[in-house]
C-alpha cells in the first residue's frame, strides 16, 4: 500500500511542476529583440569574455552609429538550441542605467542563432575600436 501512495504522490508532484511555453524560433533582428525603442540606448557595456575586461560606452554619437549599423541585420535561429559554453563578445544595452538587453553574437533572449558574418564582424570591429586591440 505504501508503494502505491508514494507512486501516486510522485505522479502528482511531477504533474504540478511549472511548464515553460516553448520558444518560437523565427528570424529576428536586434531591433525586434530589444524591449523598447533601440534608439533610446544611452550606454553600452562591452565584456571581453576571454579576459573579463569591461568597457563602458556613453558617447551618444558612437552608440547611435553602432546601433544604426547592427540593428536591422537578420539573424536566423539555429536548429540546435542546446546551450554552448563560453563567449568572446558580451554586450549589454542600457537605458537610464537599467540594463534592457544583454546578448552575445549567437544568443539573444535565450535563443541561439546561426553565425551571421556581418553581425559578428560589426561587433568584432566595435570591440577592437573600443579596447584598442585585436580580437
Amino acid at each position: 500500500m505504501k508503494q502505491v501512495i508514494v507512486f501516486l504522490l510522485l505522479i502528482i508532484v511531477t504533474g504540478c511542476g511549472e511548464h515553460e511555453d516553448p520558444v518560437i524560433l523565427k528570424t529576428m533582428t536586434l531591433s525586434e529583440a530589444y524591449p523598447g525603442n533601440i534608439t533610446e540606448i544611452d550606454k553600452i557595456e562591452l565584456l571581453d569574455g576571454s579576459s573579463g575586461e569591461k568597457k563602458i560606452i556613453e558617447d551618444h554619437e558612437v552608440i547611435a552609429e553602432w546601433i544604426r549599423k547592427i540593428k536591422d541585420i537578420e539573424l536566423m535561429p539555429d536548429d540546435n538550441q542546446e546551450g554552448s559554453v563560453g563567449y568572446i563578445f558580451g554586450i549589454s544595452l542600457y537605458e537610464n542605467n537599467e540594463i534592457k538587453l544583454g546578448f552575445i553574437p549567437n544568443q539573444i533572449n535565450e535563443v541561439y542563432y546561426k553565425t551571421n558574418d556581418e553581425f559578428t564582424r560589426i561587433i568584432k570591429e566595435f570591440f577592437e575600436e573600443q579596447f584598442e586591440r585585436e580580437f
Side-chain angles (χ1 to χ4, degrees), residues 94-124:
Y94 289 78
E95 283 182 42
N96 301 317
N97 282 329
E98 177 186 346
I99 187 166
K100 294 296 219 169
L101 181 66
F103 67 97
I104 58 177
N106 66 336
Q107 182 189 18
I108 301 172
N109 290 333
E110 299 181 26
V111 173
Y112 288 92
Y113 293 90
K114 294 178 182 175
T115 299
N116 179 302
D117 292 336
E118 181 183 11
F119 192 72
T120 302
R121 178 187 54 78
I122 291 169
I123 290 171
K124 180 179 182 227

Side-chain angles (χ1 to χ4, degrees), residues 69-114:
K69 289 179 187 177
I70 201 166
K71 69 183 179 74
D72 294 322
I73 296 172
E74 288 193 347
L75 303 171
M76 303 270 307
D78 196 331
D79 294 331
N80 180 0
Q81 289 294 309
E82 294 179 21
S84 63
V85 177
Y87 60 90
I88 297 174
F89 308 116
I91 302 113
S92 296
L93 307 176
Y94 289 78
E95 283 182 42
N96 301 317
N97 282 329
E98 177 186 346
I99 187 166
K100 294 296 219 169
L101 181 66
F103 67 97
I104 58 177
N106 66 336
Q107 182 189 18
I108 301 172
N109 290 333
E110 299 181 26
V111 173
Y112 288 92
Y113 293 90
K114 294 178 182 175

Side-chain angles (χ1 to χ4, degrees), residues 34 36-43 60 63 67 94-96:
Y34 190 78
N37 184 346
I38 199 164
T39 63
E40 299 296 317
I41 294 169
D42 55 17
K43 180 169 87 172
H60 295 288
I63 292 169
I67 293 298
Y94 289 78
E95 283 182 42
N96 301 317

Side-chain angles (χ1 to χ4, degrees), residues 1-22:
M1 183 68 175
K2 281 185 180 180
Q3 290 175 332
V4 172
I5 293 173
V6 169
F7 179 72
L8 289 174
L9 285 173
L10 283 174
I11 290 175
I12 291 170
V13 169
T14 57
C16 293
E18 290 184 31
H19 298 283
E20 294 183 23
D21 292 332

